[in-house]
């Protein structure tokens, strides 16, 4: 049993070892057989691979896809998972397994449910970019989409403003002052438009805001706090208790699309991803955000995945994993253990 600490969480893993031939073990025969692994999808042959006896398959075929289903993995006829840890001892037939997807059909075909860490972030980035519409940021062209997206949940003909949670008439738009609203770039455009000017009109990053509060915030980073929104605090801007989750999920969306520019240090005064994850958890997704995501999808043809599936946040930046991982590749490169096995007279270091 090996204990692995990841952040503040410690997990125990039972590791099974198979002792193969070593350089100082001439009495152990060298595997010389080659076996065939045949992959099937719906009883049709999909791929074949050759593997040396007592070895593992290093290169797998591309994951198959099915509408409204996500790929679960490859399994033997006895329903044993066949993965990169499976020791091959004979010819083998393995079969694709699928499961119902809890995700919006927008994510079909990207096998996103099977990924964690940077692999998941990269796959989401590709999905968010593929086929999306880029809006120009000029004049009032984005006012109507935002009026619909930020419709107040209880007051007809009013919009819901970020940071203060106010209600302002949908036609009370203007450039400045506390009696009008304008468009707030949650990630200030000056942070990224030098390299990604085509994202200036990204509707996911735009929220209707009281114009004065927008001005008070300026281009300040976000900071920690408590209670209502607060400008020029701790060197930054606190979004307010009721809006920290919204800010976190918009931030994660932008960090996924342009991770080279929108980083946690660019975003938060304390540079802590843990703060963003806590905001995401303390102020969870609500009906307003779900509706907003659907409206923007209609106009922009992409979605905010951290609203669709809040677990993505921890799967990319947190300590959560899908199932118990036999190899914690995203956390460590090599773990070295010295093992004493009963009836084995030698000791050796094994790289896990």
């Amino acid at each position: 049993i090996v204990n692995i600490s990841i952040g503040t969480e410690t997990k125990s893993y039972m590791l099974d070892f198979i002792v193969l031939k070593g350089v100082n073990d001439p009495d152990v025969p060298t595997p010389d057989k080659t076996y065939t692994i045949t992959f099937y999808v719906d009883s049709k042959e999909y791929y074949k691979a050759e593997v040396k006896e007592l070895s593992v398959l290093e290169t797998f075929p591309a994951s198959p896809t099915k509408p409204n289903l996500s790929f679960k993995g490859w399994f033997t006829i006895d329903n044993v998972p066949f993965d990169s840890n499976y020791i091959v001892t004979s010819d083998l037939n393995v079969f694709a397994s699928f499961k119902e997807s809890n995700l919006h059909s927008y994510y079909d075909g990207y096998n996103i449910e099977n990924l964690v860490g940077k692999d998941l972030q990269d796959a989401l980035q590709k999905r968010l970019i593929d086929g999306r519409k880029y809006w120009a940021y000029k004049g009032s062209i984005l006012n109507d989409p935002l009026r619909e997206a930020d419709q107040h949940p209880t007051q007809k003909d009013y919009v819901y403003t970020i940071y203060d949670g106010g209600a302002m008439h949908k036609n009370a738009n203007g450039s400045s002052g506390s009696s009008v609203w304008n468009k707030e770039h949650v990630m200030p455009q000056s942070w990224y438009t030098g390299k990604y000017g085509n994202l200036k009109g990204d509707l996911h990053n735009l929220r209707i805001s009281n114009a004065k509060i927008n001005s008070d915030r300026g281009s300040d980073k976000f900071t920690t706090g408590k209670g209502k929104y607060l400008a020029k605090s701790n060197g930054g801007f606190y979004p307010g208790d009721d809006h920290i989750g919204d800010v976190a999920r918009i931030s994660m969306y932008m960090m996924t699309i342009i991770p080279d520019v929108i980083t946690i240090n660019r975003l938060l005064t304390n540079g802590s991803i843990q703060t963003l994850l806590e905001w995401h958890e303390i102020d969870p997704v609500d009906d307003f955000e779900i509706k907003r995501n659907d409206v923007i999808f209609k106009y922009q043809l992409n979605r905010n995945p951290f609203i669709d599936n809040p677990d993505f946040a921890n799967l990319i930046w947190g300590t959560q994993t899908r199932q118990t991982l036999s190899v914690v590749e995203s956390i460590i490169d090599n773990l070295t253990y010295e093992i004493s096995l009963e009836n084995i007279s030698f000791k050796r270091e094994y790289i896990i």
Side-chain angles (χ1 to χ4, degrees), residues 188-325:
Q189 54 183 296
S190 61
W191 291 3
Y192 62 88
T193 51
K195 186 174 183 180
Y196 298 102
N198 60 343
L199 292 178
K200 190 175 180 179
D202 193 306
L203 293 168
H204 286 293
N205 186 44
L206 288 170
R207 285 287 301 266
I208 287 179
S209 170
N210 182 296
K212 184 178 185 307
I213 297 174
N214 188 350
S215 176
D216 289 345
R217 190 252 168 132
S219 297
D220 289 347
K221 295 181 182 182
F222 291 108
T223 192
T224 55
K226 189 174 183 180
K228 72 172 192 174
Y229 75 91
L230 187 60
K232 311 305 178 186
S233 173
N234 298 323
F237 180 90
Y238 180 61
D241 291 355
D242 293 336
H243 302 270
I244 52 176
D246 302 57
V247 165
R249 286 176 283 278
I250 293 170
S251 301
M252 293 171 184
Y253 167 86
M254 294 296 285
M255 290 168 68
T256 298
I257 285 191
I258 46 176
D260 57 325
V261 175
I262 304 299
T263 65
I264 194 63
N265 288 319
R266 169 75 273 188
L267 171 69
L268 285 169
T269 57
N270 66 3
S272 171
I273 190 64
Q274 189 60 37
T275 296
L276 209 63
L277 294 173
E278 287 173 359
W279 286 3
H280 175 57
E281 181 178 353
I282 293 169
D283 178 29
V285 174
D286 56 23
D287 290 341
F288 172 81
E289 285 180 278
I290 293 170
K291 174 183 173 295
R292 186 175 200 275
N293 201 23
D294 289 337
V295 170
I296 293 175
F297 181 45
K298 178 176 67 173
Y299 285 101
Q300 192 167 283
L301 306 181
N302 75 349
R303 304 181 63 81
N304 186 327
F306 304 99
I307 294 173
D308 285 332
N309 187 344
D311 289 342
F312 282 156
N314 271 323
L315 290 168
I316 293 174
W317 294 290
T319 59
Q320 183 179 340
T321 58
R322 280 192 180 88
Q323 305 173 346
T324 300
L325 298 177

Side-chain angles (χ1 to χ4, degrees), residues 99-112:
K99 62 182 178 180
E100 290 188 7
S101 175
N102 295 322
L103 289 176
H104 192 282
S105 59
Y106 168 74
Y107 302 95
D108 287 354
Y110 287 77
N111 295 312
I112 284 168

Side-chain angles (χ1 to χ4, degrees), residues 84-221:
S84 58
N85 299 310
Y86 191 102
I87 304 294
V88 176
T89 58
S90 65
D91 291 331
L92 199 62
N93 295 329
V94 296
F95 305 88
S97 178
F98 297 85
K99 62 182 178 180
E100 290 188 7
S101 175
N102 295 322
L103 289 176
H104 192 282
S105 59
Y106 168 74
Y107 302 95
D108 287 354
Y110 287 77
N111 295 312
I112 284 168
E113 286 188 312
N114 301 303
L115 303 175
V116 295
K118 190 176 184 301
D119 289 340
L120 174 57
Q121 187 179 14
D122 290 347
L124 287 174
Q125 181 191 46
K126 177 173 173 53
R127 170 68 282 205
L128 294 178
I129 292 173
D130 285 354
R132 63 161 293 163
K133 179 175 182 177
Y134 291 90
W135 285 89
Y137 186 78
K138 59 181 180 180
S140 60
I141 189 171
L142 298 179
N143 285 3
D144 283 343
L146 285 173
R147 285 186 179 106
E148 185 178 351
D150 290 359
Q151 165 68 43
H152 196 283
T154 61
Q155 299 187 48
K156 184 180 179 181
D157 294 331
Y158 282 75
V159 291
Y160 181 70
T161 54
I162 194 171
Y163 305 139
D164 65 339
M168 304 187 78
H169 195 275
K170 66 181 183 179
N171 293 327
N173 54 298
S175 59
S176 63
S178 60
S179 62
V180 299
W181 61 262
N182 59 12
K183 298 180 284 289
E184 155 78 332
H185 286 85
V186 180
M187 301 296 102
Q189 54 183 296
S190 61
W191 291 3
Y192 62 88
T193 51
K195 186 174 183 180
Y196 298 102
N198 60 343
L199 292 178
K200 190 175 180 179
D202 193 306
L203 293 168
H204 286 293
N205 186 44
L206 288 170
R207 285 287 301 266
I208 287 179
S209 170
N210 182 296
K212 184 178 185 307
I213 297 174
N214 188 350
S215 176
D216 289 345
R217 190 252 168 132
S219 297
D220 289 347
K221 295 181 182 182

